[in-house]
Amino acid sequence: QSVLTQPPSASGTPGQRVTISCSGSSSNIGSNTVNWYQQLPGTAPKLLIYSNNQRPSGVPDRFSGSKSGTSASLAISGLQSEDEADYYCAAWDDSLNGGVFGGGTKLTVL
Amino acid sequence: EVQLVESGGGVVRPGGSLRLSCAASGFTFDDYGMSWVRQAPGKGLEWVSGINWNGGSTGYADSVKGRFTISRDNAKNSLYLQMNSLRAEDTALYHCASSGAEWELALWGQGTLVTVSS
């Protein structure tokens, strides 16, 4: 059971906008910033969004993040086939004094 | 080239030990904290351990506390994870990653596979 809660799956058709939610608590998302990672099949995770809504260099602006209270979300607009991957949210947890991840959301592009 | 390369994984019996290494190149290693993150086969990501830039502060997941020890050698641009009393549930691909100020893991290695089996 992961500390952060994500839906196990999401889907959309090319061009659509999809969102992935991430729910936590006051000790993690409520107190610290949220980061999002994309893991393509057979590869290492890649930082997609950091500090709730910042994109590292090279990440398309189709990807955006937001946070409100103890929840966060990742939005992908103009969905493309290459976006098919697993997506993880993550945050530092002050109570555990460690990092915590969501269980991951498998995005399927129909 | 900016990269992290892990090594040291393998097959070990329950109760055994392994030492993982992570070699950093292409960036100023001692500017960053570092983390180990593992992924069991077919499962999600799990933070295992972290260390600050000079090794003065470390942290562990409850699942490995007392069994694993993280360390670093900035002179060698290297990160380590000493794993003792290994259990079947420690079987996973172990990644090292650089940590930013907001615990953003910006750079990841490809991982080294640890299999604990009798």
Side-chain angles (χ1 to χ4, degrees), chain A residues 37 44-48 56, chain B residues 1-6 22-29 32-37 79 95-100 103-110:
Chain A
Y37 299 90
K46 168 191 168 185
L47 180 65
L48 196 65
Chain B
E1 182 185 1
V2 176
Q3 63 177 355
L4 296 169
V5 178
E6 303 90 340
C22 169
S25 59
F27 66 101
T28 305
F29 182 64
Y32 295 89
M34 297 293 295
S35 286
W36 287 98
V37 175
L79 174 73
H95 298 275
C96 61
S98 63
S99 305
W103 193 59
E104 68 276 22
L105 304 176
L107 179 64
W108 293 67
Q110 287 303 307

Side-chain angles (χ1 to χ4, degrees), chain A residues 33 35 37 39 44-45 47 50-51 88 90-92 98-101, chain B residues 37 39 43-47 62 95 102-106 108-110:
Chain A
T33 60
N35 305 310
Y37 299 90
Q39 187 174 32
L47 180 65
Y50 68 98
S51 295
Y88 295 90
W92 190 259
V100 291
F101 287 92
Chain B
V37 175
Q39 187 167 30
K43 302 296 184 183
L45 302 174
E46 179 189 16
W47 177 78
D62 286 345
H95 298 275
E102 300 289 343
W103 193 59
E104 68 276 22
L105 304 176
W108 293 67
Q110 287 303 307

Side-chain angles (χ1 to χ4, degrees), chain A residues 74-109:
Chain A
L74 172 70
I76 309 172
S77 59
L79 198 62
Q80 300 180 4
S81 57
E82 55 261 40
D83 298 334
E84 194 159 280
D86 293 325
Y87 293 84
Y88 295 90
C89 60
W92 190 259
D93 191 297
D94 291 337
S95 295
L96 297 174
N97 197 26
V100 291
F101 287 92
T105 298
K106 184 176 184 62
L107 176 64
T108 301
V109 181

Side-chain angles (χ1 to χ4, degrees), chain A residues 10-63:
Chain A
S11 63
T13 57
Q16 265 192 332
R17 182 178 188 270
V18 297
T19 61
I20 297 172
S21 61
C22 176
S23 178
S25 67
S26 58
S27 63
N28 42 65
I29 294 179
S31 306
N32 299 293
T33 60
V34 177
N35 305 310
W36 289 90
Y37 299 90
Q38 177 193 58
Q39 187 174 32
L40 297 170
T43 69
K46 168 191 168 185
L47 180 65
L48 196 65
I49 297 288
Y50 68 98
S51 295
N52 303 327
N53 55 16
Q54 302 299 301
R55 285 185 307 276
S57 174
V59 173
D61 59 6
R62 302 186 296 105
F63 295 90

